[in-house]
């Protein structure tokens, strides 16, 4: 039996000629352009230091902002809930996959975001696929910031609505396009969608001005705060940061970044959440979150709301790293959050820079097209609350060495 399995995995699976040609040629082109992303399995927990291929590295690539992905208290909660409920919910939410612990989570999420209600999904990506297409149709238009996350773009496409790209953070462009769309008479509804915190640059959406424009033209407002929840607004997110909980129609968040587990949520009015429960396809057709994950999420929310200690440490570390990289001469863009890009530019150099950092002891993954525009390759640094100053100093020393070696800094 084992011999048979060995031969099976050795044998190359035959492909159609046209598919084989497509894959071979395009993979070769990606590798030649420096756009092919190599995946490095992490051997152990995703903490402030990680082990890859037996080597320990300072980890600056994780979205585990508050260090909660490895929190001992949350592990215990997950184990206890798994013992009580099992490893899976057993069904979709609308059949009998809604456990009492899911209801408790959604109440807690609504309280966390300052809304009437909330709904949990299996991922943040699912939230955008679900919520946008459940409300917007081919009779509508969506104004979308040009740097919005891929899940927003895919959700907009799925809806069938007319997509109108708005220049990044350009409020004059937003006002002009909102006026044109609403006065055209072509659309039943017009929505404006933006990230709360833009994950590639670390800047924060201008929500006060967005709300003013939305009121002027009766736009539906939609904020994806995947990188803001737990990070801005003393942990409550970007909408809370500006005190606009009553002014934003959709608040979207992930449960896999600062929260440290997995999943996503939409928070808003009770009517909105009721509608999503009967019309959003990922809710209707995907099995519910496992109870162990739900228990850990609720524990994380309790920690975030009980104290700002982790939030404050995250910002302290973020500012420390940002100041250190800027003093060394790196281009760190316009980040307003702990997200700290080092913008290198050319794709091959960006990947070479990232690889040399790893060889020296820092894991900071290269980000190139199509995640960012061509010629805007960068290494994105994500300091967390779990990093020590010693770890960050170690990283800065390596950045200086590699930066000078490759001519990125002088």
């Amino acid at each position: 039996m084992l011999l048979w399995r060995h031969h099976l995995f050795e044998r190359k699976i035959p492909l159609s000629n046209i598919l084989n040609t497509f894959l071979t040629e395009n993979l070769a082109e990606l590798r030649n352009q420096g756009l092919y992303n190599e995946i490095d399995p992490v051997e152990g927990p995703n903490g402030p230091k990680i082990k890859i291929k037996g080597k320990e590295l300072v980890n600056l690539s994780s979205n585990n902002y508050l260090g909660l992905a490895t929190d001992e208290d949350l592990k215990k909660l997950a184990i206890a809930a798994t013992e009580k409920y099992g490893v899976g919910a057993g069904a979709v939410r609308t059949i009998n996959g809604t456990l009492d612990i899911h209801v408790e989570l959604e109440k807690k999420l609504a309280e966390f975001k300052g809304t009437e209600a909330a709904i949990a999904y299996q991922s943040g990506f699912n939230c955008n696929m679900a919520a946008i297409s459940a409300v917007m149709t081919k009779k509508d238009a969506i104004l979308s910031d040009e740097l919005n996350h891929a899940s927003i773009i895919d959700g907009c496409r799925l809806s069938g609505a007319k997509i109108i790209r708005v220049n990044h953070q350009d409020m004059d462009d937003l006002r002009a396009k909102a006026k044109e769309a609403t006065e055209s008479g072509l659309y039943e509804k017009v929505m404006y969608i933006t990230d709360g915190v833009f994950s590639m640059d670390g800047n924060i959406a201008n929500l006060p001005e967005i709300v003013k424009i939305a009121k002027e033209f009766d736009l539906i407002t939609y904020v994806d705060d995947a990188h803001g929840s737990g990070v801005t607004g003393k942990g409550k997110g970007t909408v809370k940061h500006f005190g606009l909980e009553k002014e934003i129609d959709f608040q979207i968040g992930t449960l896999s970044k600062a929260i440290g587990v997995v999943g996503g949520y939409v928070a808003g009015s009770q009517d909105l959440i009721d509608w999503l429960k009967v019309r959003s396809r990922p809710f209707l057709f995907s099995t519910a979150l496992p109870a162990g994950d739900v228990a850990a999420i609720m524990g994380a929310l309790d920690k975030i709301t009980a104290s700002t200690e982790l939030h404050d440490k995250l910002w302290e570390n973020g500012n420390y790293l940002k100041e250190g990289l800027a003093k060394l001469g790196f281009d760190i863009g316009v980040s307003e959050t702990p997200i700290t890009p080092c913008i290198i530019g050319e794709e091959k150099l960006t990947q070479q820079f990232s690889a040399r950092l790893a060889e020296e002891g820092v894991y900071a993954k290269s980000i190139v097209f199509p995640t960012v525009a061509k010629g805007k390759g960068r290494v994105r640094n994500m300091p967390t609350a779990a990093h020590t100053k010693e770890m960050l100093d170690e990283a800065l020393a390596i950045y200086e060495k590699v930066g000078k070696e490759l001519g990125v800094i002088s």
Side-chain angles (χ1 to χ4, degrees), residues 51-68:
K51 185 178 287 186
I52 294 175
K53 296 179 182 177
K55 181 177 181 179
E56 190 175 68
L57 306 134
V58 178
N59 179 18
L60 291 176
S61 281
S62 172
N63 291 323
N64 182 25
Y65 291 118
L66 302 180
L68 292 174

Side-chain angles (χ1 to χ4, degrees), residues 47-50 56-60 313 317 320-321 360-363 381-399:
K49 284 198 169 186
I50 53 174
E56 190 175 68
L57 306 134
V58 178
N59 179 18
L60 291 176
K313 183 63 175 176
N317 283 344
Y320 186 81
L321 182 66
E360 294 294 331
V362 171
Y363 194 79
N381 299 281
M382 313 286 270
T384 73
H387 283 101
T388 64
K389 286 292 192 301
E390 290 74 20
M391 292 176 190
L392 297 178
D393 284 338
E394 180 183 348
L396 287 168
I398 291 170
Y399 257 95

Side-chain angles (χ1 to χ4, degrees), residues 195-248:
D195 280 352
V197 173
F198 291 87
S199 62
M200 293 300 115
D201 295 289
N203 55 331
I204 299 173
N206 185 356
L207 294 188
E209 188 63 24
I210 288 166
V211 166
K212 288 180 186 176
I213 296 170
K215 286 183 175 180
E216 184 179 350
F217 297 103
D218 196 21
L219 307 179
I220 299 168
T221 49
Y222 187 113
V223 177
D224 181 346
D225 211 25
H227 289 270
S229 295
V231 176
T232 54
K234 291 296 182 181
K236 296 291 184 69
T238 308
V239 176
K240 175 67 175 178
H241 172 72
F242 291 109
L244 295 171
E245 297 96 319
K246 306 302 180 186
E247 307 293 342
I248 301 297

Side-chain angles (χ1 to χ4, degrees), residues 88-98 102 122 283-284 286-289:
V92 299
R93 291 286 302 271
T94 52
I95 298 179
N96 68 348
T98 295
H102 290 121
Q122 298 80 3
F283 185 84
L284 294 169
S286 282
T287 298
L289 285 166

Side-chain angles (χ1 to χ4, degrees), residues 1-198:
M1 180 65 175
L2 289 175
L3 182 61
W4 175 81
R5 285 170 60 88
H6 175 72
H7 287 310
L8 177 66
F9 289 120
E10 271 191 344
R11 187 177 66 192
K12 191 166 183 174
I13 297 172
L15 301 175
S16 72
N17 290 332
I18 193 167
L19 176 59
N20 186 60
T21 299
F22 168 82
L23 294 174
T24 302
E25 291 179 354
N26 284 281
L27 283 169
E29 184 178 355
L30 287 177
R31 290 186 175 100
N32 184 56
Q33 293 178 357
L35 300 178
Y36 184 81
N37 182 35
E38 298 286 351
I39 297 175
D40 306 307
V42 176
E43 300 156 2
N46 199 326
K49 284 198 169 186
I50 53 174
K51 185 178 287 186
I52 294 175
K53 296 179 182 177
K55 181 177 181 179
E56 190 175 68
L57 306 134
V58 178
N59 179 18
L60 291 176
S61 281
S62 172
N63 291 323
N64 182 25
Y65 291 118
L66 302 180
L68 292 174
T70 55
D71 185 87
E72 292 300 323
D73 295 332
L74 303 192
K75 288 182 191 179
K76 292 173 183 175
L77 290 171
I79 291 168
T82 301
E83 291 286 354
K84 178 178 178 180
Y85 293 95
V87 296
V92 299
R93 291 286 302 271
T94 52
I95 298 179
N96 68 348
T98 295
L99 309 174
D100 55 1
I101 197 171
H102 290 121
V103 177
E104 186 180 352
L105 169 64
E106 288 166 342
K107 288 179 180 177
K108 192 177 288 285
L109 284 168
E111 182 180 349
F112 180 64
K113 301 306 289 187
T115 61
E116 291 179 357
I119 182 174
Y121 290 92
Q122 298 80 3
S123 71
F125 204 108
N126 266 355
C127 288
N128 286 324
M129 300 295 283
I132 300 170
S133 62
V135 172
M136 305 303 285
T137 74
K138 62 183 179 181
K139 297 178 181 180
D140 304 321
I142 299 172
L143 302 163
S144 178
D145 187 286
E146 64 181 336
L147 295 188
N148 277 339
H149 189 265
S151 60
I152 294 175
I153 295 168
D154 286 357
C156 291
R157 288 172 176 166
L158 184 62
S159 75
K162 171 70 174 177
I163 301 169
I164 302 169
R165 192 169 77 164
V166 176
N167 295 336
H168 180 54
Q169 295 275 54
D170 186 337
M171 296 298 103
D172 290 335
D173 192 46
L174 172 58
R175 177 173 276 104
K177 287 173 177 172
K179 178 179 173 64
E180 181 181 358
T182 55
E183 293 181 357
S184 70
L186 296 173
Y187 312 111
E188 290 184 354
K189 303 188 294 295
V190 180
M191 172 186 281
Y192 178 63
I193 298 183
T194 182
D195 280 352
V197 173
F198 291 87

